[in-house]
């Protein structure tokens, strides 16, 4: 596709359930980022992937949050035992990186709006 | 740790008036600064970055290292400029640029006719 694709666009779940959010980056983009956009906290970094590895997971708020990336492409963010404070818009971004020279223009998806009841 | 501050949550101007969205940052090294914009019902998109030193849609932003600021300016605001604007910062970590963005809280700009 032409841009970063995220699914689902909206997700309503009950407290305690697990959810999976998907991100399909722009083809050829090796760097992938997850961010969270919430009313109280603004836009926060969650995790960064370079290829399939995640050298920076510093933004994940708790061990209920995990993410993986396969084939250097699609990424899945999983939230286990969801809580009401997890309600937010989860954004994915990708960028094209040349080793030794960062071209850090991040292209964002439309986001997944998660509502935990 | 790095921090980005946008002191104005809301900013209202009339069409044709100059507009300045303020952004201050704290970081001891040499960061890369960006302005991202989110129009109503659209995704977040890059407006401009300091290393490009370009003008996009009439907007400019100059990095002032002495004042640690990266204010966004436009001499004549248009109604279509109404949007949420985020200032963001990216740093090198130990020589490896992970490129993660630290965002300010955002400023909602409303341009009245």
């Amino acid at each position: 596709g032409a841009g970063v694709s995220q699914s689902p666009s909206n997700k309503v779940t009950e407290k305690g359930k697990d959810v999976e959010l998907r991100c399909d980056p722009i083809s050829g983009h090796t760097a992938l980022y997850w961010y969270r956009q919430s009313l109280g906290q603004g836009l926060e970094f969650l995790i960064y992937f370079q290829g399939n590895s995640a050298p920076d997971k510093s933004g994940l708020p708790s061990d209920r949050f995990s993410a993986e990336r396969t084939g250097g492409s699609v990424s899945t963010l999983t939230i286990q035992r969801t809580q009401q404070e997890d309600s937010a818009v989860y954004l994915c971004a990708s960028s094209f990186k040349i080793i030794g020279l960062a071209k850090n223009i991040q292209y964002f998806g439309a986001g997944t709006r998660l509502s935990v009841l | 740790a790095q921090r980005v501050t946008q002191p104005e949550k809301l900013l209202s101007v009339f069409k044709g008036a100059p507009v300045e969205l303020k952004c201050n940052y704290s970081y001891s090294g040499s960061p890369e600064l960006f302005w991202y914009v989110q129009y109503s019902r659209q995704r977040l998109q890059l407006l401009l970055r300091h290393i490009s030193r370009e003008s996009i849609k009439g907007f400019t932003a100059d990095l002032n290292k002495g004042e640690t600021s990266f204010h966004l300016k436009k001499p004549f605001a248009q109604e279509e400029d109404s949007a949420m604007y985020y200032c963001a910062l990216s740093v090198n970590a130990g020589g490896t640029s992970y490129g993660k963005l630290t965002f300010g809280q955002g400023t909602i700009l409303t341009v009245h006719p």
Side-chain angles (χ1 to χ4, degrees):
Chain A
V4 178
S5 178
Q6 291 188 247
S7 61
S9 54
N10 282 284
K11 177 72 178 178
V12 180
T13 190
E14 293 178 352
K15 178 180 170 181
K17 301 277 190 182
D18 298 351
V19 294
E20 283 190 355
L21 312 180
R22 176 188 167 105
C23 172
D24 206 335
I26 293 172
S27 178
H29 281 193
T30 58
L32 185 147
Y33 305 81
W34 283 97
Y35 296 90
R36 180 168 71 173
Q37 187 175 28
S38 56
L39 277 176
Q41 302 298 323
L43 264 164
E44 305 170 284
F45 165 79
L46 296 177
I47 187 170
Y48 158 71
F49 286 92
Q50 181 59 36
N52 292 336
S53 64
D56 191 347
K57 306 178 183 180
S58 62
L60 294 179
S62 76
D63 58 8
R64 295 186 295 105
F65 287 72
S66 63
E68 65 174 12
R69 189 178 183 194
T70 55
S73 180
V74 172
S75 177
T76 303
L77 177 69
T78 301
I79 309 173
Q80 295 178 309
R81 306 181 302 282
T82 52
Q83 303 294 312
Q84 287 183 333
E85 60 262 28
D86 299 335
S87 296
V89 176
Y90 289 82
L91 295 176
C92 176
S94 70
S95 72
F96 178 66
K97 284 214 169 175
I98 299 173
I99 294 175
L101 177 65
K103 285 197 169 185
N104 189 29
I105 297 176
Q106 295 184 27
Y107 297 87
F108 283 80
T112 294
R113 182 175 296 278
L114 176 66
S115 300
V116 182
L117 305 179
Chain B
Q2 57 270 20
R3 185 182 177 95
V4 178
T5 303
Q6 293 179 249
E8 304 134 330
K9 279 191 175 180
L10 302 170
L11 186 61
S12 289
V13 299
F14 286 100
K15 176 183 173 181
V19 63
E20 181 180 51
L21 289 83
K22 291 186 168 50
C23 172
N24 288 91
Y25 67 91
S26 62
Y27 180 65
S28 55
S30 294
E32 188 172 359
L33 274 297
F34 304 82
W35 277 98
Y36 276 82
V37 61
Q38 190 167 28
Y39 300 103
S40 179
R41 286 185 286 278
Q42 294 187 29
R43 62 186 64 190
L44 196 63
Q45 58 186 283
L46 178 68
L47 181 61
L48 53 77
R49 54 200 304 216
H50 89 270
I51 63 171
S52 299
R53 302 186 65 81
E54 57 195 345
S55 173
I56 303 292
K57 299 185 179 183
F59 285 98
T60 59
D62 290 320
L63 179 61
N64 185 324
K65 292 187 177 180
E67 296 182 358
T68 59
S69 68
F70 188 56
H71 303 327
L72 183 67
K73 301 177 184 179
K74 184 169 183 177
F76 307 103
Q78 303 299 313
E79 290 177 69
E80 55 265 31
D81 297 328
S82 296
M84 170 75 96
Y85 291 80
Y86 290 98
C87 182
L89 174 155
S90 174
V91 302
N92 284 319
T96 301
S97 175
Y98 291 157
K100 68 181 179 185
L101 295 170
T102 299
F103 287 90
Q105 292 294 306
T107 298
I108 299 174
L109 173 66
T110 303
V111 181
H112 300 285

